[in-house]
Amino acid sequence: MRLWKGIHHMAALGADTLLDKLPFATAVITPGRRVLFLNRAMEALTGFSRDEALGLRCDCVLRCSVCLDDCPLAAAGNQDKPLSLEGDVINRDRRRLPVRLSLSAVPDDTGAPAFYLETLEERPGGIRPALEGGPMSFSRIIGRSPAMERLFETLPAVAQTDSSLLITGETGTGKDVLAEAIHQASPRSKGPFIKVNCGALPESLLESELFGHRKGAFTGAVKDKPGRIQLAEGGTLFLTEVGDLPLPLQVKLLSFLDDRVVYPLGGTSGVVTNVRLIAATHHDLEAAVAAGRFRQDLMFRLNVIRLHLPPLRDRGVDVRLLLDHFLNVCSAQLGKNVLGLDERALATLMGHPYPGNVRELRNIVEYACTMCRGEQITASDLPAYLKPQAPAPDEARAAEPEQPQHGAPQADYAELERGRMLKALLEAGGRKGKAAQALGLSRTTFWRKLKSHGFAGEKKP
Amino acid sequence: MKPKFLIAIRDNDVAARLDQCLEVLIVQLDDKGRPLSRKNLVLAKPSDKEICRIAQAEGVGAVICGAVDEEISLYLTWKSVQVIDDVIGPVEGVLRLHAQGRLTRSTIIPDETAKRMVQNVSNETF
């Protein structure tokens, strides 16, 4: 009977459309621990389609370590606050992905859970290097440059406060990683860490997403829905790309920061919340204020504590440290035995300005590891745009934080990789195993890359 | 006589993950696909590496499980143990399919609850 209520409830909400618009992996679970629905992001993360997963036990589909250790559904049903746990999932590609699991019960008219909403947020994982007497680290952020050491010294104190925090830095410097690391080191670490990308959703949807809505607020709002601010109760709300927040929402966010009361869309009464706000942007907010694109009073509210992540070109010795670190990580992830870089490759990478910062460096190393057939990465394994014969990147462009220039090179080497994979497939007569072997990749990695380039069909390796 | 095979189990179903499984079932079939022997082994703690060791010690030819880490899958393959992973369903149903030579990777055998839910949802307009 309750299962039927849950299905009816879902259908009435038009939940499939709504959930598909969410940028994070979400599953709807019945009180009987069966999967009722997966949104597109969850399908992508787990590898299961919603039709395949329908009716199956949720632990068999999500395959999250915390579900199998001690099912969190019972705990979520007994409390009003959403539950947040960390673990990992193993998806259908046999990949182990570190995730943060958030779980909340959605009650029916009687107050009993009609169903549960479970979200999985992928946490960038990696092998932490042995740092004996070497570089300093905070969570998964490593560095030994003076700029990073100064930052590391302030982080423990920043984590212990409840003040609003603004993280600035160019694209790819690790703002999201830093925000999550601060949450993990804070007294709120047992609460949820809710991330909202202010640049990823249209204004109308973003308002409902952040502040929630009351029943009847707009067409299709058939029930009250809490916003992401309420979902972050007791934890941390992370607004990434806050510089892209539309002006009308800036006013509403300012009002929330003043009195910590959330007014859902279409509602007259507010909800008092206990949330720490961390915001991040790659924009120069002062310039945005001067240009009238960002409210000065909001900037002051967010700017109680400010942390700046330096670009990689200002981190000197960290480039070599990060090269070695990501080489270890990627080599292990790809199941290869890449031990280092030859002199020419190292010189090229040490001389590159990295407009895409740490993200670009990591992508370059992953690409080189993929292409490397021996134990050492050579210059020919590097992406085409880095090779000595290629024209040097325009350093003037690299100096502009607001205009990241790593899109074109990324496209270049994605194209090159695609070409190499296609050539290997043709040479192997379409046999994926043989093509993977020729490229020095495991079959699963080869399959994953095939899918990412749009070659793969439905059949699994 | 066919080679033995190992199923990672939890209660009466295939375990959702090999690395969190506490019990395995080792079965040997005769040439006609009938069980010659079957034994359950309980692990002291969940460990996919321990299951790999058991599989090798028992001379198992195939491991049937839910999710498996790529590293473990590659290791077992290297040791000439077939990996039939991503399997969901009751142990007896999986056994039957494997005995018939019809069990493949990503096989899903829905139980009655799952079938009923599919039926209910198909009657509802989303």
Side-chain angles (χ1 to χ4, degrees):
Chain A
M1 183 62 199
R2 191 178 291 174
L3 162 67
W4 177 248
K5 270 188 181 177
I7 294 171
H8 187 73
H9 206 58
M10 282 267 303
L13 281 170
D16 54 343
T17 312
L18 190 68
L19 291 172
D20 275 345
K21 287 193 176 359
L22 299 181
F24 36 83
T26 308
V28 182
I29 314 288
T30 69
R33 300 177 189 183
R34 300 285 174 153
V35 173
L36 188 56
F37 183 81
L38 304 181
N39 75 347
R40 296 279 175 230
M42 186 62 95
E43 285 182 321
L45 190 140
T46 60
F48 281 90
S49 74
R50 62 190 58 165
D51 293 339
E52 279 178 314
L54 179 62
L56 297 178
R57 271 187 9 218
C58 56
D59 61 328
C60 292
V61 174
L62 303 184
R63 310 198 294 195
C64 185
S65 54
V66 296
C67 304
L68 297 159
D69 279 341
D70 185 16
C71 176
L73 282 190
N78 295 332
Q79 56 181 17
D80 298 331
K81 294 178 185 176
L83 201 69
S84 180
L85 300 158
E86 284 192 2
D88 60 52
V89 299
I90 298 177
N91 69 9
R92 288 185 113 177
D93 289 337
R94 299 171 179 158
R95 287 178 66 211
R96 187 185 293 267
L97 306 166
V99 293
R100 173 186 302 283
L101 179 148
S102 300
L103 189 67
S104 45
V106 180
D108 61 14
D109 302 336
T110 66
F115 51 80
Y116 295 90
L117 273 182
E118 189 162 331
T119 64
L120 294 178
E121 190 178 359
E122 216 178 315
R123 297 181 295 118
I127 301 162
R128 292 191 62 179
L131 299 169
E132 291 176 23
M136 293 173 76
S137 68
F138 185 83
S139 181
R140 289 178 298 105
I141 308 163
I142 57 170
R144 63 156 67 95
S145 60
M148 289 307 284
E149 284 187 1
R150 279 195 300 274
L151 182 72
F152 288 137
E153 281 162 14
T154 62
L155 291 181
V158 169
Q160 293 309 306
T161 74
D162 253 353
S163 308
S164 296
L165 166 66
L166 178 65
I167 302 171
T168 58
E170 291 179 20
T171 183
T173 45
K175 298 184 290 294
D176 292 21
V177 178
L178 180 62
E180 191 164 358
I182 287 168
H183 167 76
Q184 286 304 326
S186 78
R188 295 175 172 269
S189 62
K190 286 191 167 54
F193 177 79
I194 302 287
K195 177 179 162 183
V196 180
N197 188 328
C198 301
L201 294 169
E203 185 183 331
S204 53
L205 191 60
L206 186 59
E207 182 171 8
S208 162
E209 198 54 40
L210 268 176
F211 298 96
H213 62 248
R214 292 279 185 238
K215 181 179 174 180
F218 49 82
T219 308
V222 293
K223 199 162 176 63
D224 290 355
K225 172 184 166 283
R228 306 284 281 165
I229 296 176
Q230 278 174 270
L231 292 178
E233 179 67 23
T236 305
L237 177 74
F238 176 46
L239 298 179
T240 179
E241 303 307 345
V242 74
D244 295 328
L245 197 66
L247 277 166
L249 284 189
Q250 290 180 28
V251 178
K252 203 163 175 177
L253 181 64
L254 182 68
S255 163
F256 161 72
L257 289 172
D258 273 340
D259 50 21
R260 301 284 163 171
V261 176
V262 173
Y263 290 93
L265 210 59
T268 48
S269 56
V271 182
V272 180
T273 56
N274 170 23
V275 169
R276 185 192 189 179
L277 186 76
I278 300 180
T281 182
H282 69 273
H283 290 297
D284 178 348
L285 278 193
E286 281 79 4
V289 167
R293 292 194 309 271
F294 202 83
R295 290 182 64 102
Q296 189 176 38
D297 43 9
L298 178 59
M299 190 188 73
F300 290 143
R301 283 262 178 249
L302 297 174
N303 204 11
V304 178
I305 300 172
R306 187 169 189 154
L307 294 175
H308 179 70
L309 276 165
L312 199 49
R313 63 182 172 276
D314 293 346
R315 287 176 59 177
V317 291
D318 286 350
V319 175
R320 182 62 204 265
L321 178 75
L322 289 164
L323 278 173
D324 290 342
H325 170 66
F326 287 129
L327 199 59
N328 285 337
V329 172
C330 295
S331 177
Q333 279 178 350
L334 295 169
K336 299 179 87 163
N337 187 32
V338 181
L339 302 177
L341 301 121
D342 74 5
E343 275 183 37
R344 205 154 146 252
L346 184 61
T348 304
L349 291 176
M350 291 300 287
H352 184 59
Y354 296 102
N357 294 295
V358 181
R359 187 187 293 129
E360 185 191 7
L361 182 142
R362 191 199 161 110
N363 287 346
I364 289 169
V365 173
E366 187 176 348
Y367 175 88
C369 266
T370 303
M371 294 304 168
C372 178
R373 297 190 188 200
E375 291 186 340
Q376 271 209 325
I377 288 171
T378 64
S380 62
D381 296 322
L382 298 178
Y385 77 98
L386 286 175
K387 286 175 186 169
Q389 66 269 26
D394 182 352
E395 294 198 25
R397 285 183 314 174
E400 292 179 31
E402 297 216 6
Q403 297 296 327
Q405 294 299 318
H406 63 300
Q410 290 264 29
D412 280 355
Y413 80 70
E415 195 55 41
L416 183 69
E417 183 183 66
R418 187 187 153 100
R420 286 188 68 162
M421 293 184 82
L422 189 57
K423 187 166 175 276
L425 267 173
L426 288 169
E427 285 172 357
R431 290 193 295 277
K432 296 184 187 73
K434 198 175 169 186
Q437 200 175 9
L439 289 172
L441 298 173
S442 76
R443 214 179 139 79
T444 313
T445 304
F446 183 75
W447 179 259
R448 185 163 48 85
K449 287 185 178 293
L450 270 185
K451 280 203 293 186
S452 73
H453 288 299
F455 287 144
E458 290 305 305
K459 201 178 147 209
K460 285 211 171 326
Chain B
M1 206 163 48
K2 293 185 175 178
K4 292 181 198 172
F5 59 94
L6 178 152
I7 309 182
I9 63 176
R10 182 174 181 175
D11 300 328
N12 298 316
D13 295 313
V14 175
R17 276 171 62 149
L18 191 72
D19 63 344
Q20 298 209 318
C21 160
L22 272 169
E23 190 180 357
V24 297
L25 172 67
I26 297 171
V27 182
Q28 182 148 33
L29 304 172
D30 64 15
D31 291 333
K32 290 183 179 173
R34 291 173 305 207
L36 267 179
S37 66
R38 58 188 284 173
K39 67 172 172 182
N40 289 59
L41 294 177
V42 177
L43 282 72
K45 59 178 186 191
S47 165
D48 46 8
K49 292 182 177 67
E50 176 63 9
I51 293 173
C52 288
R53 194 197 60 75
I54 291 170
Q56 284 179 261
E58 294 281 342
V60 159
V63 167
I64 298 164
C65 58
V68 64
D69 191 286
E70 184 178 9
E71 190 185 340
I72 297 293
S73 156
L74 291 171
Y75 175 79
L76 286 169
T77 307
W78 174 53
K79 292 290 178 184
S80 304
V81 178
Q82 187 193 4
V83 179
I84 307 173
D85 64 318
D86 200 26
V87 173
I88 298 173
V91 172
E92 296 309 321
V94 168
L95 261 171
R96 211 168 21 252
L97 270 186
H98 188 63
Q100 294 164 358
R102 289 167 49 213
L103 187 74
T104 57
R105 180 172 194 252
S106 303
T107 295
I108 298 174
I109 307 172
D111 60 7
E112 287 310 311
T113 309
K115 287 176 186 168
R116 203 167 52 247
M117 270 185 74
V118 171
Q119 189 59 47
N120 284 339
V121 170
S122 64
N123 294 336
E124 192 71 37
T125 310
F126 273 83

